[in-house]
């Protein structure tokens, strides 16, 4: 059966910066599997290795050694262009800083990655409106980032991440710049996406945020310190 193959499989992954006398082991022989449809929080303090792990999971960097299989593909063997293609097709990114383009309205911001995927203009518009409606912004389609609250901007960023229906949503401190009310809204949207079948990986340093996930992986000194809630 297809779902017996984990969506993400990391084996003996190491990431070493400055090899030699002053080397830093950002990841130290990490082993990890994440199945389809999981809601996982990866938690760790600054310098724990969680950001490096996120970069690996998001195909933004490749390991010094070890393997990373995403959907059965060994990511470590791919070229930069192939990695870029995987990022575009397999992963929806949500960042703490929203990363919206100020001069574009909500629809246009969501359309950008669809354009790079070669989606037709008509389908770009349809997918963008559907994604923005899904995150509760059907009434703000023409608004630019400066005309929206932080919570609304992050919802546009989520719509951009989900418009092309990638199997993995990678959220890096997605509520870091938001107040309590907006944080609850964003976490609920991520839970709803997970309930709809998406694999959601939440990177955070906040125990309360991590507690929203069904599984919590704690990273410390480049190693998996604990992995709770994994069935």
């Amino acid at each position: 059966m297809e779902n017996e193959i984990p969506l993400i499989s990391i084996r003996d992954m190491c990431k070493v910066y400055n090899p030699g006398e002053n080397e830093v082991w950002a990841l130290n022989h990490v082993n990890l599997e994440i199945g389809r449809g999981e809601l996982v929080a990866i938690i760790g303090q600054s310098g724990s290795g969680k950001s490096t792990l996120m970069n690996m999971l998001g195909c933004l960097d490749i390991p010094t050694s070890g393997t990373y299989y995403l959907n059965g593909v060994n990511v470590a063997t791919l070229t930069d262009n192939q990695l870029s293609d995987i990022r575009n097709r397999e992963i929806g990114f949500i960042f703490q800083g929203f990363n919206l383009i100020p001069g574009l309205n909500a629809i246009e911001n969501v359309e950008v990655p669809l354009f790079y995927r070669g989606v037709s203009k008509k389908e770009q518009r349809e997918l963008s409106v559907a994604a923005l409606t899904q995150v509760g912004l059907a009434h703000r389609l023409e608004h630019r980032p400066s005309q929206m609250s932080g919570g609304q901007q992050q919802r546009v960023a989520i719509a951009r991440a989900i418009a092309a229906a990638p199997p993995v949503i990678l959220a890096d401190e997605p509520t870091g710049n938001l107040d309590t009310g907006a944080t609850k809204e964003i976490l609920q949207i991520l839970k709803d996406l997970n309930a709809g079948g998406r694999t959601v990986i939440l990177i955070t340093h906040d125990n309360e945020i991590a507690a929203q996930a069904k599984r919590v992986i704690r990273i410390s000194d480049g190693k998996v310190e604990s992995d709770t809630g994994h069935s």
Side-chain angles (χ1 to χ4, degrees):
M1 286 172 59
E2 184 195 23
N3 62 5
E4 287 178 354
I5 302 170
L7 181 66
I8 285 169
S9 179
I10 285 173
R11 288 278 172 272
D12 211 27
M13 181 184 281
C14 297
K15 184 65 178 181
V16 184
Y17 295 103
N18 306 320
E21 203 172 315
N22 300 312
E23 66 188 17
V24 175
W25 287 69
L27 293 177
N28 192 346
H29 299 284
V30 170
N31 292 289
L32 186 61
E33 285 190 354
I34 296 174
R36 287 172 177 76
E38 284 201 74
L39 172 55
V40 181
I42 296 176
I43 187 168
Q45 297 308 312
S46 179
S48 63
K50 74 176 187 302
S51 296
T52 303
L53 181 58
M54 189 213 74
N55 287 340
M56 299 297 162
L57 291 170
C59 301
L60 297 165
D61 200 356
I62 55 172
T64 305
S65 61
T67 59
Y68 170 26
Y69 284 87
L70 175 61
N71 248 342
V73 175
N74 186 354
V75 173
T77 64
L78 301 182
T79 65
D80 285 349
N81 283 345
Q82 289 170 321
L83 285 172
S84 178
D85 193 50
I86 279 202
R87 284 196 298 272
N88 211 353
R89 293 181 183 281
E90 303 280 342
I91 303 163
F93 291 95
I94 304 165
F95 297 102
Q96 180 175 340
F98 316 142
N99 291 10
L100 301 177
I101 299 170
L104 300 183
N105 66 26
I107 291 182
E108 292 163 341
N109 264 289
V110 176
E111 285 177 338
V112 169
L114 298 170
F115 169 79
Y116 284 110
R117 284 186 65 164
V119 174
S120 72
K121 186 67 186 168
K122 179 172 178 287
E123 194 181 353
Q124 283 178 38
R125 184 56 48 112
E126 288 170 357
L127 290 172
S128 298
V129 171
L132 285 161
T133 301
Q134 189 175 345
V135 297
L137 288 180
H139 61 303
R140 305 300 293 260
L141 303 179
E142 306 289 338
H143 289 71
R144 295 188 177 189
S146 61
Q147 299 169 305
M148 291 185 275
S149 68
Q152 288 170 332
Q153 289 183 62
Q154 190 59 298
R155 282 193 268 164
V156 173
I158 291 173
R160 180 183 58 194
I162 66 174
V168 181
I169 303 292
L170 198 53
D172 184 21
E173 302 280 6
T175 59
N177 289 334
L178 304 179
D179 62 26
T180 306
T183 292
K184 283 182 179 171
E185 285 178 3
I186 296 305
L187 289 172
Q188 189 57 54
I189 289 171
L190 291 173
K191 286 181 181 177
D192 290 346
L193 286 167
N194 175 247
R198 304 287 177 87
T199 303
V200 178
I201 302 171
L202 187 58
I203 315 288
T204 184
H205 67 279
D206 186 320
N207 283 306
E208 282 186 40
I209 303 286
Q212 305 292 314
K214 297 167 186 168
R215 177 181 173 194
V216 179
I217 298 166
R218 194 171 292 276
I219 301 286
S220 180
D221 296 325
K223 298 178 180 178
V224 175
E225 189 177 73
S226 62
D227 185 349
T228 56
H230 184 35
S231 56

